[in-house]
Amino acid sequence: MDKKFAVVLPAGGLGKRMGGNIPKQLMLLGGKPVYRYCLETFLQMDEIVEVVMAVPADWKSHFENELFAKESERCDAVKNCESLTPEMRAKLKIVVGGAERWQSVENGVNALTSGAEYVLVHDVARPFVSKEIILDVCNTLVTKGACLVAKPAVDTIKIAADGRVEKTIDRNTVWMAQTPQAARIDLLKKLYARIAAEPLNFVPTDEASILEFFGEPVYIVKGAAANDKLTTPEDFEIFANRAK
């Protein structure tokens, strides 16, 4: 594949549902911080030429120390993490995230400098994204257009109001959104400019919702349970077993 792909990793959230006094992406999972799993996966792929991670402002120096400090200078808290190779470091940039997730992604997109044509956006709280899924997203981007990873619903889906079921949805039409979500970089920048000129009347929860709002087609790449999001302490126990 001769196309160039960049990645934005929004890691600006504080993971309040997880509890604790540090962002969940910095909690240790199988001996290393949660965010390192997907970061290393992307940095190891030749198809990915640039990775920008958007982090909380108060934690930017912490991330920089973990990822860019020389081995002899690294803090004790991360001594169990291997250093990134020089090639991996050369691909990586860290920026400050925004107030909302979509604004963190915008900051990341605007920081891209590699000349890549496409960008994949991935939640660092989905540590076990596979290279196969990433390549499927890249292929879909090139052959079809903007896309997102999603799992088909396996449960019966009910719509309810005031605690009472109103109707049942055909689960064959329901997909559970995951990431990466991806699009052409110039398209996202164009849409961000439109939002700046005329702010949205809702808070987008993902890139697909922005693309959908502006009438852009979004294609589905089939996801997997291993790509689920780490959200609660219970999830953390499940994911710790996967990390072994």
Side-chain angles (χ1 to χ4, degrees):
M1 193 182 301
D2 58 357
K3 299 292 185 180
K4 294 168 62 176
F5 302 88
V7 172
V8 170
L9 301 176
L14 297 178
K16 295 178 181 177
R17 282 176 289 184
M18 181 64 69
N21 56 7
I22 65 171
K24 70 179 176 185
Q25 58 268 31
L26 286 171
M27 292 182 178
L28 293 183
L29 179 68
K32 63 182 176 181
V34 169
Y35 79 90
R36 287 287 296 252
Y37 287 90
C38 71
L39 174 64
E40 291 173 7
T41 298
F42 285 112
L43 289 175
Q44 289 166 0
M45 296 181 67
D46 292 338
E47 294 82 2
I48 307 301
V49 297
E50 181 177 17
V51 177
V52 174
M53 189 160 60
V55 305
D58 292 345
W59 290 87
K60 186 170 184 283
S61 61
H62 183 101
F63 281 94
E64 290 172 340
N65 183 54
E66 284 198 3
L67 295 166
F68 294 116
K70 295 179 181 177
E71 193 67 35
S72 60
E73 299 171 347
R74 303 175 78 224
C75 63
D76 290 340
V78 293
K79 64 184 178 182
N80 56 342
C81 280
E82 296 180 2
S83 295
L84 299 179
T85 66
E87 294 78 14
M88 293 165 77
R89 290 186 186 189
K91 289 185 181 183
L92 179 62
K93 183 183 300 180
I94 298 175
V95 299
V96 173
E100 301 288 347
R101 179 191 184 279
W102 75 270
Q103 293 167 319
S104 291
V105 174
E106 181 182 16
N107 288 356
V109 169
N110 287 334
L112 295 171
T113 57
S114 63
E117 188 174 352
Y118 305 94
V119 63
L120 287 68
V121 180
H122 185 70
D123 298 325
V124 296
R126 299 181 188 275
F128 300 124
V129 62
S130 68
K131 292 181 180 179
E132 290 75 18
I133 285 179
I134 295 168
L135 290 175
D136 282 348
V137 169
C138 292
N139 284 322
T140 302
L141 264 173
V142 173
T143 60
K144 294 183 177 180
C147 59
L148 83 160
V149 176
K151 290 191 310 181
V154 295
D155 297 320
T156 299
I157 308 296
K158 304 289 185 180
I159 299 296
D162 299 323
R164 188 182 71 180
V165 172
E166 292 190 335
K167 64 178 178 179
T168 301
I169 294 179
D170 179 3
R171 68 183 176 195
N172 293 318
T173 67
V174 177
W175 291 77
M176 317 298 285
Q178 297 185 327
T179 62
Q181 302 191 6
R184 291 178 60 92
I185 294 171
D186 58 358
L187 173 59
L188 283 180
K189 287 185 174 181
K190 181 181 75 172
L191 299 184
Y192 290 142
R194 291 179 66 178
I195 293 172
E198 189 173 344
L200 301 174
N201 58 3
F202 69 100
V203 177
T205 55
D206 62 4
E207 287 59 59
S209 59
I210 294 176
L211 293 160
E212 294 160 30
F213 178 80
F214 288 106
E216 298 290 341
V218 180
Y219 296 92
I220 286 179
V221 173
K222 192 172 182 179
N227 191 35
D228 284 344
K229 190 174 183 179
L230 197 166
T231 304
T232 67
E234 292 75 21
D235 295 334
F236 207 90
E237 294 179 11
I238 296 171
F239 279 63
N241 291 328
R242 293 179 184 172
K244 291 179 181 178

